[in-house]
């Protein structure tokens, strides 16, 4: 089901009331758009491997070609400039820059990002680098992956190769994109690369991802010769109990514990939440924390990236009223609210974004926030010219930007909004069927056609930036 709910005038006023300094961006990630997986010395990442596992990705699709951005980068940057946004958030492919995940930089790999940054700056667009958006070099997975402690140190060395090259021109740095997805989808649920199903391994991955973030943050901070903004991006939503029953409330608490607090508590307060540690102990899992780790993980950072798509209501019992699953673990069942959904079947719930931002500001105060991803896949229907009149996506963006403005009025320090995504692209295990772009990509010709949502978004960004309301 899709929605085409129009913007109310109250929502338009909210958006028009955002300050001229508010950042308007578009986001992508390396494996989802670059293609050119064998070029200029790039080696395989866990996603190259995972895509070859039968049944792992819809239609057996891969990122081998994707949007061919590696070869079309200057045109894509021109497109970003034409849209009228001010920031481009992209990720650097670790196996391009440091093939195999160890040793010196690969000059040809670094050169691509060097050119990208120069191209962006030349066109007045601010570059925003994400160092890790899920493409771990396969060799490091073979050596244990994120459940192994050494990967945190390997990540830090890689981060410095990029930082040393680009920090003379790049101010905004994100260490990790969505460590929840790396750990849970990758190591517990097997839905993402590397496709493991081992809860203990996933929890070890959480700690080592956070350790990698902290180590890299400390080293980048020490090496910076110009002002930089360092941060991490988490995917979050609100977790609400379906009823007031003890089982439902415990399910919501656990979901929030493993979704949000297991990241933000150590990052901000240098400790893991005690209820989460108790829950893990009940499952026989201990986090592999060594003395000093939590000081590293809680190294000060400047900015929290929030990726928001939906929020969930939780029940502590399954469809048959049972409170334990087959493995004897307590049930956490996401219960639909009955709201309209996107093509991902994700419920559209902008109020959850307001609630989330207000909650983060309350529980983790003093941390400026940028929405580093927000957007929606819909079943686009291009006309004969390739143009997509995506009122559904436009409404999604507008209502979520209005939700950000509402959170700001309630005191949340949110400084920008980046649409996911610039282009239709390789949507991980869903392949190319799910289109998140505000620009359509015709995968046969690689033609790019801005959708209605892109026109609306760029126009809105321009107007707000210049202080001109409707
Ligand atoms: C986020 C990812 C991004 C994209 C969107 C839809 O979890 O960071 O790469 O897949 O979801």
């Amino acid at each position: 089901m899709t929605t085409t709910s129009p913007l109310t005038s109250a929502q338009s006023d909210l958006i028009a009331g955002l300050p001229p300094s508010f950042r308007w961006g578009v986001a992508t990630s390396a494996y989802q758009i670059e293609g050119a997986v064998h070029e200029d010395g790039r080696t395989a990442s866990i996603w190259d491997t995972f895509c070859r596992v039968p049944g792992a990705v819809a239609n057996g699709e891969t990122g081998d070609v994707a949007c061919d951005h590696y070869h079309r980068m200057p045109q894509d940057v021109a497109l970003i400039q034409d849209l009228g946004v001010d920031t481009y958030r992209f990720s650097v492919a670790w196996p391009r820059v440091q093939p195999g995940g160890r040793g010196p930089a690969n000059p040809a790999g670094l050169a691509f990002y060097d050119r990208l940054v120069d191209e962006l700056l030349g066109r007045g667009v601010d570059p925003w680098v994400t160092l890790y958006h899920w493409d771990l070099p396969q060799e490091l997975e073979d050596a244990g992956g994120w459940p192994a402690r050494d990967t945190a140190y390997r990540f830090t060395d890689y981060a410095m190769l990029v930082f040393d090259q680009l920090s003379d021109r790049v101010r905004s740095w994100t260490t990790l994109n969505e460590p929840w997805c790396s750990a849970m989808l990758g190591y517990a649920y097997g839905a993402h690369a590397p496709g493991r199903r081992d809860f203990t391994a996933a929890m070890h991955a959480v700690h080592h991802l956070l350790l990698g973030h902290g180590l890299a943050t400390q080293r980048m901070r020490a090496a910076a010769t110009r002002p930089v903004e360092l941060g991490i991006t988490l995917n979050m939503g609100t977790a609400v109990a379906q009823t007031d029953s003890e089982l439902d409330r415990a399910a919501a608490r656990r979901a929030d514990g493993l979704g949000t607090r297991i990241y933000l508590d150590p990052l901000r307060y240098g400790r893991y939440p005690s209820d989460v540690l108790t829950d893990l102990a009940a499952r026989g899992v201990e986090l592999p924390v060594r003395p000093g780790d939590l000081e590293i993980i809680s190294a000060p950072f400047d900015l929290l990236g929030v990726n928001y798509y939906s929020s969930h209501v939780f029940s502590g019992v399954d469809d048959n009223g049972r409170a334990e699953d087959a493995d004897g673990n307590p049930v956490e069942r996401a219960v639909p609210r009955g709201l309209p959904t996107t093509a991902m079947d994700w419920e559209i719930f902008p109020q959850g974004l307001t609630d989330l931002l207000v909650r983060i500001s309350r529980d983790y105060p003093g941390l400026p926030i940028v929405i580093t991803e927000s957007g929606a896949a819909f079943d686009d229907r291009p006309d004969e010219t390739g143009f997509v009149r995506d009122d559904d996506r436009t409404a999604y963006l507008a209502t979520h930007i209005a939700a950000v403005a509402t959170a700001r009025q309630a005191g949340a320090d949110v400084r920008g909004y980046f649409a996911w995504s610039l282009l239709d692209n390789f949507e991980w295990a869903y392949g190319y069927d799910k289109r998140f772009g505000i620009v359509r990509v015709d995968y046969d010709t690689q033609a790019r056609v801005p959708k209605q949502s892109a026109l609306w978004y760029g126009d809105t960004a321009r107007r707000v930036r210049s202080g001109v309301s409707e």
Side-chain angles (χ1 to χ4, degrees):
M1 208 200 317
T2 59
T3 179
T4 52
S5 64
L7 254 202
T8 64
S9 65
Q11 287 166 334
S12 301
D13 289 350
L14 276 165
I15 295 174
L18 287 166
S21 60
F22 194 76
R23 293 177 82 147
W24 298 82
V26 286
T28 62
S29 89
Y31 190 69
Q32 293 180 276
I33 64 164
E34 284 180 1
V37 292
H38 301 299
E39 277 174 61
D40 295 334
R42 181 188 180 279
T43 51
S45 78
I46 53 177
W47 271 95
D48 296 274
T49 308
F50 188 66
C51 287
R52 259 112 202 136
V53 175
V57 175
N59 310 315
E61 286 163 344
T62 74
D64 285 4
V65 177
C67 306
D68 196 32
H69 170 72
Y70 194 73
H71 299 120
R72 292 162 196 266
M73 182 270 285
Q75 297 95 298
D76 285 342
V77 173
L79 177 64
I80 296 169
Q81 180 190 32
D82 289 347
L83 290 179
V85 300
D86 46 73
T87 305
Y88 176 48
R89 172 183 182 245
F90 60 93
S91 82
V92 173
W94 187 345
R96 243 186 236 298
V97 162
Q98 191 189 39
R102 296 171 196 277
N106 166 29
L110 266 184
F112 172 72
Y113 299 102
D114 223 42
R115 293 196 302 274
L116 170 57
V117 165
D118 286 343
E119 201 71 39
L120 288 164
L121 292 172
R123 290 182 177 275
V125 179
D126 233 355
W128 182 300
V129 171
T130 299
L131 288 162
Y132 184 72
H133 200 127
W134 307 352
D135 41 5
L136 185 71
Q138 181 59 41
E139 291 81 353
L140 295 187
E141 175 57 24
D142 296 341
W146 285 108
R149 187 177 175 90
D150 187 55
T151 302
Y153 294 89
R154 300 284 63 76
F155 170 70
T156 310
D157 286 352
Y158 148 71
M160 293 314 294
L161 296 178
V162 183
F163 192 80
D164 287 344
Q165 181 72 24
L166 302 181
S167 63
D168 60 334
R169 285 155 290 155
V170 174
R171 187 165 53 97
S172 306
W173 294 82
T174 297
T175 52
L176 307 175
N177 177 69
E178 303 189 353
W180 181 91
C181 290
S182 298
M184 299 305 289
L185 299 180
Y187 291 97
Y189 304 146
H192 277 187
R196 282 160 69 175
R197 289 194 165 85
D198 177 344
F199 183 73
T200 304
M203 291 301 108
H204 288 207
V206 168
H207 182 66
H208 296 139
L209 284 154
L210 288 170
L211 183 63
H213 156 82
L215 289 164
T217 299
Q218 287 182 330
R219 280 189 51 193
M220 290 192 286
R221 183 84 68 203
T225 53
R226 296 187 341 143
V228 285
E229 278 177 338
L230 308 179
I232 184 170
T233 279
L234 304 176
N235 55 306
M236 292 181 284
T238 53
V240 175
Q242 186 183 22
T243 73
D244 216 24
S245 76
E246 203 167 310
L247 284 173
D248 287 358
R249 282 191 288 120
R253 177 189 58 71
R254 285 193 307 276
D256 183 59
L258 285 187
T260 296
R261 289 181 291 116
I262 198 173
Y263 300 100
L264 279 176
D265 280 23
L267 285 167
R268 290 298 276 166
Y269 301 126
R271 53 164 167 69
Y272 283 106
S274 57
D275 64 310
V276 171
L277 295 179
T278 307
D279 291 344
L280 292 179
R283 298 181 69 164
V285 177
E286 200 183 327
L287 295 177
V289 182
R290 294 198 189 163
D293 283 2
L294 286 159
E295 285 74 48
I296 296 168
I297 291 172
S298 57
F301 61 100
D302 309 310
L303 204 137
L304 176 66
V306 170
N307 290 358
Y308 180 82
Y309 290 93
S310 193
S311 282
H312 297 289
V313 172
F314 285 94
S315 163
V317 293
D318 67 15
D319 283 335
N320 300 311
R322 278 189 297 256
E324 280 188 0
D325 67 15
D327 300 326
N329 295 316
V331 167
E332 276 144 53
R333 183 169 56 97
V335 189
R337 283 185 163 92
L339 297 170
T341 57
T342 68
M344 301 294 280
D345 270 338
W346 297 345
E347 287 193 325
I348 302 171
F349 189 50
Q351 174 69 45
L353 178 54
T354 304
D355 296 344
L356 171 71
L357 294 169
V358 170
R359 181 268 174 116
I360 294 173
S361 314
R362 183 194 64 209
D363 293 350
Y364 306 96
L367 198 52
I369 295 170
V370 167
I371 308 301
T372 40
E373 288 180 24
S374 168
F378 287 106
D379 295 323
D380 293 335
R381 302 200 194 297
D383 66 16
E384 59 288 349
T385 68
F387 183 72
V388 177
R389 215 200 136 82
D390 54 345
D391 293 334
D392 40 18
R393 188 174 289 100
T394 305
Y396 186 100
L397 294 174
T399 51
H400 285 76
I401 296 165
V404 169
T406 305
R408 282 175 51 94
Q409 289 185 341
D413 183 9
V414 190
R415 302 192 178 176
Y417 180 97
F418 302 167
W420 183 270
S421 182
L422 168 67
L423 302 170
D424 290 336
N425 60 45
F426 176 73
E427 180 44 37
W428 308 112
Y430 293 89
Y432 293 96
D433 274 358
K434 303 297 180 203
R435 292 176 175 269
F436 275 90
I438 59 173
V439 173
R440 181 168 178 90
V441 175
D442 176 333
Y443 293 112
D444 293 331
T445 62
Q446 291 293 350
R448 277 81 159 127
V449 183
K451 304 177 192 177
Q452 178 65 35
S453 55
L455 306 181
W456 175 85
Y457 186 66
D459 194 47
T460 303
R462 279 195 194 93
R463 266 191 290 112
V464 173
R465 214 175 17 242
S466 62
V468 180
S469 52
E470 275 173 298

